[in-house]
Amino acid sequence: KMAGSSAPWIGSAYLFLQSTCKTIALPALYESSQKKPCVFKALKLALADCTGSVNGVDMLKVHCSHPHLIVQLKFCKRENCRQFLRSYREGALQKSLQSHLQLSLATTTVPLEVELKAGSEHLDKMLKDEDRCLECIYREKPDRLPDEEITQLEECLKSLMLHQSTNNNVAGKDCSPLKSPPQPYPPQGSSLPTQLTFIFQGQLFDNRTITPDDHQKFAKSVSKKWKQVARSLQKSCRALRDPVLDNVALEYEREGLYEQAYQMLLRFIQSEGKRATIARLVAALEENGLVSLAEELLGLHASEDCS
């Protein structure tokens, strides 16, 4: 064990994926030069969702073993691995994979069966014993560096996102299956959990809840456009209907725009709870031309190292 050791926590596992739809064969799609980037992108985004970080887990290699697509995973932090296991156990990883594959492949649905192994251990049989699963993964050290193909796909994905952010007014036919429209929250009635990551200006960000600091920065900078932002948020938040916004404007008219904006966002946070995420606020700001404020909330003015 690594108690008292300064060595990093490193472990490895294999994720087995199989489509239960007869018309969709994941290995065949991955072996197709046209579809491979689409499948890789879905895998990358889903893994980021379930670990809460773009760098939560590394893909070392993707094996095609019909009917399975097998992804070799490398974990460099115990907590990231723990979060992955919980997402896997609760079915969040499976749902996220299905959602991202559906978007990337521009298809109706991609039903999946998933299985997780570490060495000879079938982790699905012991998911309730999280510590035992962690120990099994920790025992299995990665036997390789990321495949050259994986490195190339990573670069391709980064380039695509940058291209998309600079040309977001052009939707070319060739790029449409690869396009990753920001979906910071599921549509009403959806059973999908709130996504843990979102894309802004070609970079992937953790979809955290709105903080008090975000709240104050928003109220200070949004000025007269607070009502426009509120109307963007009201599409998925019943607590921000027009009569509520009119009441906020009237009640806090003397205090000025800062307090009106602050009280509006407070109602959003109180109503939505954990679903009051930074991605939803950023999407509303972007929709109303307040990109600079969105960048400020995401720390892009202070640092460019967020990718």
Side-chain angles (χ1 to χ4, degrees), residues 217-231 245 248-249 256-262 264 285 288 290 293:
K217 283 180 180 175
F218 170 83
K220 184 179 177 182
S221 303
V222 72
S223 191
K224 294 178 181 179
K225 284 196 171 183
W226 72 265
K227 245 187 182 180
Q228 289 173 242
V229 175
R231 288 202 173 99
L245 302 182
V248 167
L257 293 171
Y258 174 94
E259 195 60 27
Q260 290 171 336
Y262 188 92
M264 179 280 288
L285 291 170
N288 291 285
L290 296 165
L293 178 50

Side-chain angles (χ1 to χ4, degrees), residues 69-130:
L69 199 65
I70 308 169
V71 187
Q72 186 177 5
L73 304 173
K74 175 188 175 183
F75 299 91
C76 293
K77 288 185 180 177
R78 178 198 288 266
E79 282 313 306
N80 287 342
C81 188
R82 191 184 293 278
Q83 191 164 347
F84 170 85
L85 286 169
R86 288 175 183 171
S87 295
Y88 183 87
R89 184 178 68 233
E90 293 163 6
L93 172 63
Q94 186 175 5
K95 286 181 179 178
S96 183
L97 271 169
Q98 289 172 334
S99 174
H100 284 300
L101 283 167
Q102 182 179 339
L103 282 169
S104 290
L105 297 169
T107 185
T108 49
T109 182
V110 185
L112 288 178
E113 283 183 357
V114 294
E115 191 178 354
L116 191 63
K117 295 181 182 179
S120 60
E121 300 286 356
H122 290 243
L123 301 186
D124 299 77
K125 298 176 182 178
M126 58 178 87
L127 288 173
K128 290 182 180 179
D129 191 343
E130 200 171 273

Side-chain angles (χ1 to χ4, degrees), residues 34 39 67 92 103 108 130 141 157 169 172 199 211-212 237 242 253 293 302:
Q34 286 185 319
V39 178
L103 282 169
T108 49
E130 200 171 273
K141 300 303 179 192
L157 185 56
N169 292 325
I199 296 169
T211 66
C237 177
D242 280 344
E253 187 175 12
L293 178 50

Side-chain angles (χ1 to χ4, degrees), residues 168 182 199-201 229 281-291 294:
N168 53 13
I199 296 169
F200 177 74
Q201 294 189 350
V229 175
L281 182 55
V282 163
L285 291 170
E286 200 173 13
E287 190 174 313
N288 291 285
L290 296 165
V291 174

